[in-house]
């Protein structure tokens, strides 16, 4: 599913290695020949506070990290990107692609001991599709769903209005929630939104706001129970503070930025204790423009803003050449990405011409562009603690100043930042998308998906794009579908609702005492079983009690 991430060190799919050599690079699993032992605690990093732990309502990657341990999906992707049954025992698809029948496993229970049934599946779907429920990163998957049929306690049928190419992929995003917990009058304020009852290998234990979220092993898990006693997520928004915590033994893993990777995690003491992983996942960095704002409603202005942002220099100075520029909204190595579309160049002179054509001129001679009495002064929001986000904003601010545009940089605490983004209450923002394996981007770029309905935070609208996005969802032939998405790519590139920046490898040191770390084609967490079966090698380091 598409998830928002703070601009950091984002990347694209495939364990193909990166363009720079690195003797510390690890791209394969780390395992131990010894028999795994039970026990111990792993301390994981959260870069932002969570807004909710209600599976239907969450939108950020950080919430997904936690919920991925607490809930199991009906179907999921394994480490090889194959769809497999998880809570489901089996599934079948009708010849006309209109019915998908899912049979649940027999002995599956919620963490409070109540059996998981088809009623829970249907209840979850009803909540996702309820217009009063802001299931922002779920509703788009299921707007082609007609209804859900309950055959019996363990059999449920998903009936689609029309053939829908991503239908099976959509079900691989679905984690049922317990009807007996959430069937209340106020779903949005249910107290269990902060203490979820799930189905996964770990059970919720505690949430101390802006400090920690902890989960403990589910002893009654329907599969093999986890080895770890507990996983504690420590909420540390500041990258430098987090790295200090990692080095002090107060974290076992974190994503690091380029400077940290190259200069601050290569001393012998660090390398003795940490394995350094570098891998590619389907993401891209971007600057989002609010297309309904007085400044950015004109595509000429948005194009000009992109031409004022020196992305090549960003790639060299911030990423040491690891990054690749992107020109559109798809994974750069996927068949949906149109490689003939080249990124907009850094061209301040052409940017100034476009701004003038759009009517932005310094009429009163005060050094700032204006139009119809409105000064070109906008607010650029970034999440506090994001060093990379700050660098992006400062680079843009400096070049904009030369062009007569005032950029006011505003740093916001994580939950507040994401709330403003979700509601479309911003002029410009620095973010990244974690992309789906399926290239359907209906929920992020279709005009019907503007807040509060979906993830089109910038209120982008183009009838042609809408038409092609709708076509892409009903086309099963990959070659034809690719051409549809190439059309989308070209149109969005022209409109520039985002300044598409780059994709870079994600870098994550993990303590060597942790074993069975598998880096899939989607990273170490976004597949089943993910980190469920991490364990601590007691012969390497003393396990935490």
């Amino acid at each position: 599913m598409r998830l928002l991430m703070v601009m950091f060190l984002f990347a694209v799919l495939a364990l193909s290695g990166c363009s720079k050599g690195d003797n510390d690079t690890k791209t394969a699993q780390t395992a131990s020949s010894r028999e795994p032992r039970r026990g111990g605690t792993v301390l994981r990093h959260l870069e932002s506070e969570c807004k909710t732990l209600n599976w239907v309502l969450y939108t950020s990657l950080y919430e997904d990290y936690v919920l991925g341990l607490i809930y199991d999906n009906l179907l999921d992707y394994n480490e090889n990107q194959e769809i497999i049954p998880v809570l489901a025992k089996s599934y079948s698809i009708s010849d006309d692609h209109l019915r998908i029948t899912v049979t649940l496993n027999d002995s599956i229970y919620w963490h409070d001991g109540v059996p998981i049934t088809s009623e829970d599946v249907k209840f979850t779907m009803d909540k996702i599709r309820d217009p009063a429920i802001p299931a922002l990163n779920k509703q788009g998957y299921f707007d082609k769903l007609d209804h859900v049929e309950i055959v019996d306690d363990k059999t449920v049928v998903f009936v689609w209005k029309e053939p829908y190419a991503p239908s099976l992929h959509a079900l691989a995003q679905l984690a049922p929630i317990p009807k007996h917990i959430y069937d209340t009058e106020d779903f949005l304020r249910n107290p269990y939104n902060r203490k979820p009852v799930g189905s996964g290998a770990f059970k919720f234990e505690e949430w101390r706001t802006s400090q920690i979220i902890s989960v403990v092993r589910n002893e009654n898990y329907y599969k093999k129970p986890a080895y770890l006693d507990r996983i504690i997520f420590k909420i540390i928004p500041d990258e430098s503070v987090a790295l200090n915590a990692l080095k002090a033994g107060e974290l076992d893993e974190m994503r690091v930025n380029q400077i940290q990777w190259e200069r601050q995690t290569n001393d012998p003491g660090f390398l003795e204790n940490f394995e350094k992983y570098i891998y590619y996942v389907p993401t891209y960095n971007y600057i989002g423009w609010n297309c309904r704002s007085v400044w950015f409603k004109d595509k000429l202005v948005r194009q000009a803003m992109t031409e004022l942002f020196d992305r090549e220099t960003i790639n060299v100075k911030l990423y040491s050449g690891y990054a690749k520029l992107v020109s559109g909204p798809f994974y750069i190595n996927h068949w949906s990405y149109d490689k003939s579309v080249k990124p907009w160049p850094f061209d301040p002179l052409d940017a100034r011409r476009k701004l003038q054509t759009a009517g932005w001129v310094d009429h009163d001679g005060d050094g700032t562009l204006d139009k119809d009495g409105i000064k070109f002064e906008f607010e650029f929001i970034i999440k506090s603690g994001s060093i990379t986000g700050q660098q992006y904003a400062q680079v843009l601010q400096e070049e904009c100043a030369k062009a007569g545009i005032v950029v006011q940089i505003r740093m916001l605490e994580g939950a507040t930042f994401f709330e403003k983004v979700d509601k479309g209450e911003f002029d410009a923002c620095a973010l990244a998308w974690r992309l789906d394996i399926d290239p359907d981007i209906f929920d992020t770029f279709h005009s019907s998906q503007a807040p509060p309905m979906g993830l089109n935070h910038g209120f982008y609208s183009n009838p042609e794009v809408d038409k092609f996005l709708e076509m892409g969802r009903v086309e099963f032939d990959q070659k034809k579908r690719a051409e549809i998405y190439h059309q989308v790519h070209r149109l969005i590139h022209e409109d520039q609702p985002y300044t598409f920046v780059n994709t870079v490898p994600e870098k994550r040191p993990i303590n060597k005492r942790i074993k069975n770390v598998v880096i899939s084609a989607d990273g170490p967490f976004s597949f089943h079983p993910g980190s469920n079966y991490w364990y601590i090698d007691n012969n390497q380091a003393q396990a935490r009690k």
Side-chain angles (χ1 to χ4, degrees):
M1 62 190 66
R2 272 163 298 286
L3 296 172
L4 282 172
M5 300 187 292
V6 173
M7 185 168 285
F8 194 74
L9 285 179
F10 303 120
V12 291
L13 200 62
L15 288 175
S16 57
C18 69
S19 60
K20 294 286 185 178
D22 193 321
N23 292 332
D24 300 322
T25 296
K26 302 292 179 182
T27 55
Q29 71 178 36
T30 296
S32 171
S33 60
R34 302 183 183 91
E35 183 66 23
R37 63 175 295 279
R38 294 183 70 180
T41 296
V42 165
L43 303 175
R44 284 180 55 183
H45 180 217
L46 276 188
E47 297 154 22
S48 176
E49 173 65 289
C50 296
K51 293 185 298 180
T52 182
L53 289 180
N54 180 319
W55 183 87
V56 170
L57 301 176
Y58 86 94
T59 59
S60 78
L61 180 67
Y62 318 111
E63 293 156 336
D64 184 52
Y65 283 157
V66 180
L67 290 169
L69 295 169
I70 295 173
Y71 284 99
D72 275 355
N73 289 7
L74 275 184
L75 314 173
D76 208 339
Y77 287 92
N78 64 15
E79 64 185 275
N80 299 315
Q81 294 191 310
E82 302 161 331
I83 291 179
I84 58 171
V86 182
L87 283 178
K89 178 167 58 177
S90 63
Y91 66 90
S92 62
I93 305 171
S94 63
D95 292 340
D96 60 6
H97 297 283
L98 293 178
R99 298 172 67 87
I100 300 179
T101 301
V102 176
T103 303
L104 297 174
N105 277 300
D106 295 325
S107 300
I108 51 176
Y109 299 90
W110 298 111
H111 289 158
D112 60 3
V114 176
I116 301 172
T117 72
S118 299
E119 288 285 350
D120 297 304
V121 177
K122 184 178 185 303
F123 172 78
T124 304
M125 284 306 314
D126 288 344
K127 289 301 179 184
I128 290 173
R129 302 177 72 212
D130 184 344
I133 302 297
L136 299 181
N137 71 332
K138 314 292 189 307
Q139 288 170 337
Y141 291 120
F142 299 104
D143 61 354
K144 296 294 185 184
L145 184 70
D146 188 75
H147 65 279
V148 175
E149 295 176 359
I150 294 178
V151 178
D152 55 43
D153 277 355
K154 295 296 181 180
T155 309
V156 61
V157 182
F158 296 84
V159 183
W160 304 87
K161 300 173 186 175
E162 58 188 54
Y164 175 52
S167 57
L168 192 61
H169 171 76
L171 294 188
Q173 315 305 308
L174 178 62
I177 63 174
K179 180 179 180 180
H180 68 283
I181 294 293
Y182 284 103
D183 193 11
T184 62
E185 291 185 5
D186 196 345
F187 183 80
L188 301 181
R189 294 178 178 81
N190 190 308
Y192 285 93
N193 292 351
R194 286 188 60 90
K195 51 178 182 179
V197 175
S199 56
F202 288 86
K203 300 166 61 173
F204 173 81
E205 181 183 43
E206 182 183 15
W207 182 357
R208 296 204 300 264
T209 301
S210 299
Q211 297 181 54
I212 63 109
I213 298 174
S214 63
V215 297
V216 295
R217 180 175 53 243
N218 175 16
E219 298 288 359
N220 298 315
Y221 191 45
Y222 63 102
K223 297 186 176 184
K224 179 175 65 175
Y227 300 116
L228 296 172
D229 291 335
R230 178 177 284 102
I231 295 175
I232 298 175
F233 293 88
K234 301 189 76 171
I235 302 163
I236 308 176
D238 188 276
E239 299 166 6
S240 298
V241 174
L243 182 58
N244 288 336
L246 186 75
K247 292 181 176 182
E250 297 166 8
L251 286 175
D252 287 314
E253 63 83 30
M254 67 173 286
R255 289 190 299 179
V256 295
N257 64 39
Q258 189 71 31
I259 293 174
Q260 291 171 329
W261 178 262
E262 291 187 81
R263 304 178 190 175
Q264 300 171 10
T265 57
N266 279 326
D267 60 276
F270 188 90
L271 296 176
E272 182 180 355
N273 292 303
F274 290 91
E275 206 76 81
K276 292 178 67 178
Y277 294 86
I278 181 169
Y279 51 89
Y280 290 76
V281 293
T283 60
Y284 62 80
N285 291 330
Y286 70 94
I287 296 174
W289 310 110
N290 195 320
C291 298
R292 67 174 181 176
S293 75
V294 66
W295 303 288
F296 306 122
K297 61 185 178 182
D298 188 331
K299 73 177 183 181
L300 279 178
V301 175
R302 299 192 298 267
Q303 291 173 8
M305 298 306 295
T306 296
E307 290 182 324
L308 288 173
F309 190 61
D310 190 352
R311 288 163 294 155
E312 286 285 12
T313 296
I314 283 283
N315 284 355
V316 173
K317 290 187 175 180
L318 269 63
Y319 302 110
S320 301
Y322 282 76
K324 299 176 182 178
L325 296 186
V326 296
S327 63
F330 301 105
Y331 159 44
I332 196 170
N333 289 331
H334 198 265
W335 48 262
S336 55
Y337 187 95
D338 188 346
K339 293 185 182 297
S340 70
V341 179
K342 303 305 178 184
W344 287 91
F346 174 59
D347 192 341
L349 183 60
D350 189 57
R352 289 176 174 82
R353 285 195 291 261
K354 286 177 177 173
L355 290 167
Q356 185 173 17
T357 301
W360 290 98
V361 178
D362 183 9
H363 293 92
D364 57 10
D366 68 347
T368 301
L369 302 183
D370 59 87
K371 179 181 179 181
D372 300 329
I374 299 172
K375 295 290 185 182
F376 206 138
E377 300 178 355
F378 71 91
E379 184 177 80
F380 191 126
I381 64 170
I382 56 176
K383 180 193 153 297
S384 60
S386 173
I387 295 172
T388 309
Q390 292 177 48
Q391 291 170 320
Y392 274 46
Q394 289 164 0
V395 167
L396 183 66
Q397 183 185 54
E398 181 178 343
E399 203 60 48
C400 280
K402 298 175 186 176
I405 298 171
V406 177
V407 181
Q408 299 169 343
I409 301 172
R410 184 182 179 193
M411 301 181 67
L412 297 172
E413 176 272 329
T416 302
F417 173 84
F418 283 113
E419 182 178 7
K420 282 191 171 293
V421 170
D422 285 342
K423 293 180 179 179
E425 296 176 351
F426 64 90
D427 302 326
C429 63
L431 269 171
W433 278 118
R434 179 68 172 263
L435 300 172
D436 279 339
I437 295 171
D438 187 274
D440 177 30
I441 55 171
F442 182 93
D443 57 357
T444 44
F445 288 100
H446 195 279
S447 61
S448 68
Q449 299 301 297
M453 299 306 297
L455 299 171
N456 182 0
H457 308 304
F459 297 87
Y460 172 63
S461 178
N462 182 326
E464 282 192 277
V465 171
D466 286 353
K467 178 187 70 174
F468 284 120
L469 289 177
E470 291 160 12
M471 290 170 59
R473 305 183 105 194
V474 297
E475 180 56 67
F476 286 80
D477 183 276
Q478 182 175 304
K479 185 176 180 180
K480 293 178 181 178
R481 201 172 179 218
E483 181 50 39
I484 289 169
Y485 286 126
H486 288 179
Q487 293 277 12
V488 171
H489 189 151
R490 291 190 283 269
L491 287 166
I492 289 179
H493 172 74
E494 177 69 18
D495 288 342
Q496 285 295 285
Y498 293 173
T499 289
F500 297 93
V501 183
N502 56 24
T503 182
V504 300
E506 187 172 282
K507 304 169 180 70
R508 187 180 299 270
I510 300 178
N511 196 299
K512 286 182 177 180
R513 73 194 188 95
I514 300 170
K515 301 301 179 183
N516 204 30
V517 175
V518 177
I519 306 298
S520 79
D522 205 9
F525 305 121
S526 297
F527 69 98
H528 186 82
S531 58
N532 281 0
Y533 296 113
W534 284 9
Y535 65 91
I536 293 171
D537 182 353
N538 200 38
N539 293 287
Q540 171 110 26
Q542 179 62 38
R544 292 188 178 93
K545 301 298 183 182

